[in-house]
Amino acid sequence: MSNKTLTITDNRTGKTFDFEIKNGSCGPAVADLTTFYDKTGMFVYDPGFKSTASCSSGITFIDGEKGILLHRGYNIEDLAENSDYPEVCYLLLNGDLPDLQNKKKFIKILTHHTMLHEQILRFYSGFRRDSHPMAVMVGIVGALSSFYPEKTYDFSSEKGKWVAVSRLLAKMPTMAAMAYKYSLGQPFIYPKNELSYSENFLHMLFSTPSGEYKPSKASVAALDKLLILHADHEQNASTSTVKIAGSSGANPFACVAAGVASLWGPAHGGANESVIRMLNIIGDEKNISQFIKKAKDINDPFRLMGFGHRVYKSHDPRANVLRKYCHDLLNEVESFNAPLFKLATKLEEIALNDEYFIKKQLYPNVDFYSGIILKALGLPESMFTVIFAVARTVGWISQWKEMTESENRISRPRQLYNGKEIRQFIKINKRKKNESMFPEHIE
Ligand code: CMC
């Protein structure tokens, strides 16, 4: 054991226990508690993992106090300003930015696998016409695992891992665009490989057999930046879900489907959808103060969606970058003066100057602006989290790959049990009459 240790005293017995303190390259040190149970006979209690480093990783670093986000050592602001999404994917996966030749090769690999097996297309028609596109995505991404089965692909091998990486990255926009087309009842639009990743995505979303969609420069830039800014975010809920699923050796396509499910929630990727829904409910500038009051009321569950973050406590660096592209796009689109966008700008201004939000360090997060950008691109709210899922796929699969390449044990957290102690089984005819566990309308 190194001489840097954390000593914990059990006040019940006076016994002390030493745990090694490990330093990462940046950020807080960690106390290695892997032997905590063996030494103390106790578990560590940390619901929500607020103080838990669940793994060691070299991909993404966040300093929540200073508002810093680094991918493989590069500042997110620099990447968003100077890079494009495929380059950031390459960086996350490989550890370094590609040279020209390797970038071309990577893009060729991605573009060669953008199409879906025709059998997959039949899955879509099995979904209800009015399904939420995230419900469709969970199903379709999971279904890919049947097209990439373990009996054909050894996902523990280097080759198998790259098959999973390349197919997922290439096919996600196609699956997402088809989920959208299905919801509209429009024919699926096949990928066009001469287009850039973001242009192709917009093409599949908005072209129809009768008309080619020609996106503006600002639209392509806004989408590309949005994809970069959502590409990875350390051990967040959906990434941890992918890794926990993957820790058992499950098929990586199924693991990513689990990540899609986790992302869907309103406290995670679903927040951008909730931002627009909230703006619609607020409805008018004159109602803002009433909703700010509701957000501050501890007895009211209402929260300002798109504000606050578990990790960022001074500002969300992704939000700062996206804010600029959001305003560029809004300046271009006809709907710039639309009441919804005006309302968003006003809400941002009021919340940024409100004492409660300043004191609690609740700043607009990336989802506040991404919701507005996606709305300005012409997408319905139900597609917002789908776009986030496309962007985050590289984070999920990079982190999954890194995990499979390091010492990997199945994730198996323990608990603080607060249920009944051991009791005797009573035969059914001897049991006391009890209440049904179902609410009435379920029965
Ligand atoms: N509006 C009003 N009050 C808030 C908000 C908000 N958006 N967010 C946090 N608070 C208050 C909260 O009531 C609590 O007050 P108190 O100390 O009096 O109990 C305090 O601030 C701390 O909140 P918390 O819930 O303990 O913080 P958390 O770290 O558990 O939650 C969060 C982080 C993002 C879930 C939360 O801020 C939230 O619900 N925000 C709105 C949803 C949202 O925009 N989510 C997207 C997050 S960014 C995308 C991503 O990375 O996935």
Side-chain angles (χ1 to χ4, degrees), residues 233 307-313 316 318 361-363 365:
H233 211 226
F307 285 80
H309 200 273
R310 167 62 66 81
V311 178
Y312 294 121
K313 295 303 172 198
D316 179 345
R318 304 165 302 168
Q361 300 174 306
L362 301 169
Y363 302 88
N365 59 47

Side-chain angles (χ1 to χ4, degrees), residues 273-284 288 302 305 339-345 347-348 368 371-372:
E273 186 177 339
S274 313
V275 168
I276 301 296
R277 222 181 294 129
M278 174 191 73
L279 290 173
N280 282 326
I281 292 171
I282 297 177
D284 194 281
I288 292 179
F302 176 79
M305 299 314 287
L340 192 79
F341 300 135
K342 270 189 157 173
L343 183 63
T345 317
L347 178 68
E348 178 196 20
F368 186 73
I372 298 168

Side-chain angles (χ1 to χ4, degrees), residues 55-70:
C55 62
S56 72
S57 172
I59 299 178
T60 290
F61 171 72
I62 300 174
D63 183 331
E65 300 303 321
K66 294 191 184 130
I68 293 172
L69 169 61
L70 307 179

Side-chain angles (χ1 to χ4, degrees), residues 139-384:
I140 299 285
V141 177
L144 270 191
S145 56
S146 70
F147 290 78
Y148 295 95
E150 285 83 345
K151 65 175 192 264
T152 317
Y153 300 94
D154 172 8
F155 293 113
S156 64
S157 72
E158 188 65 4
K159 199 172 158 197
K161 283 173 200 179
W162 282 113
V163 167
V165 167
S166 56
R167 303 317 188 259
L168 274 161
L169 285 180
K171 292 182 200 305
M172 262 325 242
T174 316
M175 289 187 280
M178 287 182 174
Y180 179 49
K181 289 299 193 191
Y182 181 70
S183 72
L184 296 176
Q186 287 185 4
F188 295 145
I189 299 297
Y190 284 70
K192 266 193 174 176
N193 290 345
E194 68 271 22
L195 300 177
S196 74
Y197 197 89
S198 295
E199 278 172 321
N200 182 43
F201 193 12
L202 288 168
H203 156 72
M204 291 189 289
L205 285 166
F206 296 120
S207 289
T208 62
S210 52
E212 184 91 354
Y213 175 74
K214 295 253 180 285
S216 68
K217 267 189 171 172
S219 305
V220 178
L223 179 64
D224 205 65
K225 303 308 167 192
L226 193 139
L227 294 179
I228 292 176
L229 294 165
H230 287 82
D232 190 42
H233 211 226
E234 207 222 46
Q235 311 306 320
N236 55 82
S238 57
T239 302
S240 297
T241 303
V242 171
K243 289 173 79 168
I244 289 179
S247 75
S248 70
N251 181 295
F253 294 87
C255 298
V256 168
V260 176
S262 169
L263 186 75
W264 193 358
H268 192 9
N272 51 17
E273 186 177 339
S274 313
V275 168
I276 301 296
R277 222 181 294 129
M278 174 191 73
L279 290 173
N280 282 326
I281 292 171
I282 297 177
D284 194 281
E285 279 182 37
K286 68 175 190 310
N287 301 328
I288 292 179
S289 58
Q290 177 198 335
F291 281 89
I292 296 262
K293 212 166 140 197
K294 271 166 78 61
K296 292 182 198 173
D297 181 353
I298 46 166
N299 298 314
D300 189 325
F302 176 79
R303 285 187 169 199
L304 275 194
M305 299 314 287
F307 285 80
H309 200 273
R310 167 62 66 81
V311 178
Y312 294 121
K313 295 303 172 198
S314 62
H315 67 275
D316 179 345
R318 304 165 302 168
N320 284 2
V321 177
L322 213 51
R323 187 177 193 280
K324 172 181 173 297
Y325 289 95
C326 178
H327 285 265
D328 285 354
L329 183 64
L330 293 184
N331 277 327
E332 189 195 86
V333 292
E334 275 172 29
S335 50
F336 175 51
N337 285 321
L340 192 79
F341 300 135
K342 270 189 157 173
L343 183 63
T345 317
K346 194 75 195 161
L347 178 68
E348 178 196 20
E349 189 191 312
I350 292 177
L352 282 172
N353 291 300
D354 187 283
E355 208 183 313
Y356 172 91
F357 287 88
I358 296 170
K359 206 165 139 219
K360 291 208 183 285
Q361 300 174 306
L362 301 169
Y363 302 88
N365 59 47
V366 70
D367 286 320
F368 186 73
Y369 300 107
S370 67
I372 298 168
I373 285 186
L374 291 168
K375 184 83 186 161
L377 283 176
L379 284 162
E381 287 97 273
S382 59
M383 277 301 289
F384 292 5

